[in-house]
Amino acid sequence: MMTHTTVFQTVVIGAGSGGLTVAVGLAALGRPVALIEGAAVGGDCTNVGCIPSKTLIHESGSRSGGAAAILATVQRKRDHLRAEETRHVQQMEYLTFIHGWAHFLGPKRLEVIHADGSRREISAQTIVIATGSRARTMEIPGLPRERLLTNESIFELTDAPHHLAIVGAGVIAMELAFAFRKLGSRVTIISRDRRVFARGGAAASEVLAASLREQGIAVRYGATVTRYDPTDETLYLTAGDGADVVLGVDHVLLAIGRVRNIDQLGLEQTGVRFSLDSGVEVDSYGQTNMPGIYAIGDVTPTSHWTHSAGAQGRRVVQRILFPWLPAWGQEPLYPSATFSDPEVASVGLTPDQIARRYHPGLIKTLRVELSATDKGYTEGLRRGFIHVYALRLTGRILGATIVGPRASEMISLFTLAISARISLYRLYRLVYPYPTHSTGIQALADTFVRETLPHLPAELGAVARYGLATIWGRLRGGSFEAVPQPDRKLAGAVGD
């Protein structure tokens, strides 16, 4: 039964990173806004994602106080931040917080169902969808519910598992595998791929695989889970044509991807173009095909992180408050960071994307081992690197990956460089503090300049020829295989 209908200028559905950015941003500038959230304020990041996971990673590194005390600290800090964020949105001027679950009745009409079962109808000129995502789940025959974990339940543990099996080998799996191993748990990763962290590229995968072995974390490659026997705590697997078992498993963490929270929104009532697989279609400012309806964060095809949801939220605030400002250009670059041991961070084009856009002869690939820097020497660093793809001659950076300590902090220099088209020549002239891991960037830029400037005529000739090949390849649909290659003499002169 509907109790009443309320009209707002703007309604934001979801109080995670993106939704909070929009709602707080609008309210701070005097624009009335309603924020609807059915679960806890802060969304995944505050409650079951970034904040508890990074607190756990930090605390587990100290290993002080034992696993139970560390997990209690994680919960305490998570709960404190959630309470602070909740209090802030409830007390903020111009912001109306509504606790309940929303779904569309029409393009500008919503029904909100409250915890007590009561309902209300809301309409708004502008609606922002920021409902995030949830953990993908699967059934494991024989596994009791209390032993099945996702990122949404693992931070409720009061002590570390004796033996944690992690199904999946992506970001969440990497971060929590290292953290729980440091808490004293045995950890086994079950990877369907033939390598861990496949999305990070082969080089990063190799470093993480070596680190996993070094820290005593087992990995079963090319394997899938079939069932669990609770009587002897055995997890049964298939691996290729054979079978395998993992013994003594008391908890299983599913880290097999995310599902966008759009299936219960009633989007089919709005005319908004979307699919459950790819998400809600939006332009570079979050606008859907329906005027006045925006979408940001995990529900879109391009955002997968807290920082990207926040960035999208800021762009939506701009569109709502200042619609007369030009709305052009692509979305900003979104760097990624995985807080494994070591960290992995990347930004820009992937090798596959570069291969589709440019002739390989135009690309300069540069890599510096962090162990070769003086900072790496002083810390006894055994593995880690900075890897950059740049255009020959100009030094324009296309993509970068860093694997090593504080990679998440270092990647921002490359985010700026790619966004502002800062070349390796300018990074060569930059002065870096000594000794730091960032001197690896200096070494990388040194290598580029040393291999380019003494060979300018050959470089100019190669770039001219490969540039034409790139244009020709794009005209032929992106294939460079049929393009005539430079002669061996020229290729040798430019280092191919």
Side-chain angles (χ1 to χ4, degrees):
M1 175 180 176
M2 297 286 188
T3 55
H4 61 278
T5 301
T6 311
V7 179
F8 291 96
Q9 288 186 26
T10 304
V11 168
V12 179
I13 310 173
S17 173
L20 285 174
T21 298
V22 176
V24 171
L26 292 175
L29 293 171
R31 174 68 67 91
V33 58
L35 177 63
I36 304 172
E37 174 58 59
V41 172
D44 259 30
C45 180
T46 296
N47 298 286
V48 296
C50 310
I51 297 304
S53 66
K54 276 53 181 182
T55 303
L56 175 63
I57 290 166
H58 173 74
E59 296 292 336
S60 65
S62 66
R63 304 189 186 187
S64 59
I70 288 173
L71 289 167
T73 298
V74 170
Q75 294 167 8
R76 175 180 55 79
K77 296 187 77 170
R78 183 268 317 272
D79 294 348
H80 174 75
L81 181 59
R82 177 171 58 204
E84 287 293 310
E85 290 178 334
T86 303
R87 185 160 41 248
H88 183 59
V89 300
Q90 289 177 338
Q91 297 176 355
M92 191 170 190
E93 189 178 9
Y94 297 109
L95 194 157
T96 301
F97 179 68
I98 301 171
H99 193 259
W101 299 98
H103 69 271
F104 284 94
L105 299 174
K108 299 298 176 70
R109 292 170 52 233
L110 294 165
E111 181 186 53
V112 180
I113 304 175
H114 301 285
D116 62 2
S118 62
R119 300 167 181 256
R120 65 188 296 188
E121 186 174 320
I122 290 175
S123 64
Q125 299 174 9
T126 304
I127 298 177
V128 181
I129 303 166
T131 48
S133 63
R134 62 187 184 272
R136 187 181 299 278
T137 61
M138 60 179 281
E139 291 291 330
I140 300 179
L143 183 68
R145 182 178 297 274
E146 65 273 13
R147 298 194 180 200
L148 181 66
L149 304 170
T150 67
N151 71 293
E152 296 167 9
S153 57
I154 194 167
F155 301 112
E156 302 305 319
L157 294 175
T158 57
D159 207 348
H162 171 68
H163 187 176
L164 177 65
I166 303 178
V167 183
V171 172
I172 293 174
M174 292 298 100
E175 292 186 347
L176 295 184
F178 285 110
F180 275 94
R181 181 65 184 137
K182 291 173 183 176
L183 289 186
S185 297
R186 285 180 59 201
V187 178
T188 299
I189 294 172
I190 294 100
S191 172
R192 294 185 65 177
D193 270 317
R194 294 296 177 179
R195 64 186 191 186
V196 296
F197 200 63
R199 57 161 285 184
S205 176
E206 289 172 7
V207 170
L208 288 184
S211 185
L212 290 167
R213 289 193 301 270
E214 186 177 87
Q215 298 194 34
I217 298 172
V219 182
R220 306 295 176 89
Y221 293 100
T224 56
V225 176
T226 56
R227 64 185 179 91
Y228 179 82
D229 188 343
T231 58
D232 57 4
E233 298 186 328
T234 299
L235 192 63
Y236 289 83
L237 316 175
T238 58
D241 296 330
D244 198 0
V245 295
V246 184
L247 303 174
V249 174
D250 55 339
H251 285 86
V252 177
L253 169 65
L254 297 181
I256 54 175
R258 310 287 297 171
V259 177
R260 293 180 175 88
N261 289 325
I262 56 177
D263 49 334
Q264 301 297 318
L265 276 178
L267 282 176
E268 60 277 0
Q269 306 296 325
T270 67
V272 167
R273 288 196 292 265
F274 76 99
S275 76
L276 296 180
D277 291 332
S278 60
V280 181
E281 294 184 22
V282 294
D283 66 13
S284 62
Y285 277 82
Q287 174 70 61
T288 69
N289 62 296
M290 296 297 292
I293 301 181
Y294 295 83
I296 57 176
D298 286 359
V299 298
T300 70
T302 59
S303 179
H304 311 287
W305 305 283
T306 295
H307 50 275
S308 57
Q312 289 178 325
R314 288 190 292 273
R315 289 166 72 83
V316 167
V317 170
Q318 175 185 320
R319 295 306 304 147
I320 294 173
L321 289 177
F322 312 110
W324 42 268
L325 288 175
W328 52 270
Q330 299 178 338
E331 289 188 63
L333 281 175
Y334 299 138
S336 67
T338 300
F339 297 84
S340 47
D341 188 5
E343 293 182 3
V344 180
S346 62
V347 68
L349 298 178
T350 66
D352 287 344
Q353 290 171 328
I354 292 171
R356 289 194 295 269
R357 298 188 188 191
Y358 299 95
H359 190 286
L362 275 180
I363 305 303
K364 189 75 172 178
T365 301
L366 301 154
R367 173 167 165 159
V368 169
E369 302 298 325
L370 289 177
S371 60
T373 66
D374 287 354
K375 180 67 169 179
Y377 173 76
T378 61
E379 293 186 350
L381 195 64
R382 297 177 53 195
R383 55 181 66 95
F385 59 84
I386 303 172
H387 197 157
V388 166
Y389 295 93
L391 289 177
R392 290 175 69 163
L393 185 64
T394 66
R396 178 186 159 201
I397 300 168
L398 301 176
T401 297
I402 304 175
V403 178
R406 303 294 182 184
S408 57
E409 306 287 350
M410 294 170 63
I411 199 65
S412 293
L413 178 60
F414 286 112
T415 305
L416 174 63
I418 298 173
S419 299
R421 291 177 176 257
I422 295 172
S423 73
L424 286 169
Y425 294 110
R426 293 183 64 186
L427 295 186
Y428 168 80
R429 295 192 294 269
L430 193 65
V431 179
Y432 301 80
Y434 177 88
T436 59
H437 293 300
S438 62
T439 57
I441 301 173
Q442 184 178 45
L444 187 142
D446 287 350
T447 299
F448 173 79
V449 171
R450 186 172 61 250
E451 294 180 355
T452 300
L453 292 185
H455 309 289
L456 279 179
E459 288 290 299
L460 284 166
V463 167
R465 189 158 195 173
Y466 287 130
L468 289 174
T470 294
I471 295 171
W472 178 249
R474 289 179 180 176
L475 290 174
R476 294 174 60 86
S479 172
F480 305 112
E481 294 179 357
V483 178
Q485 300 299 305
D487 59 59
R488 292 182 179 274
K489 184 176 180 180
L490 175 60
V494 297
D496 284 355

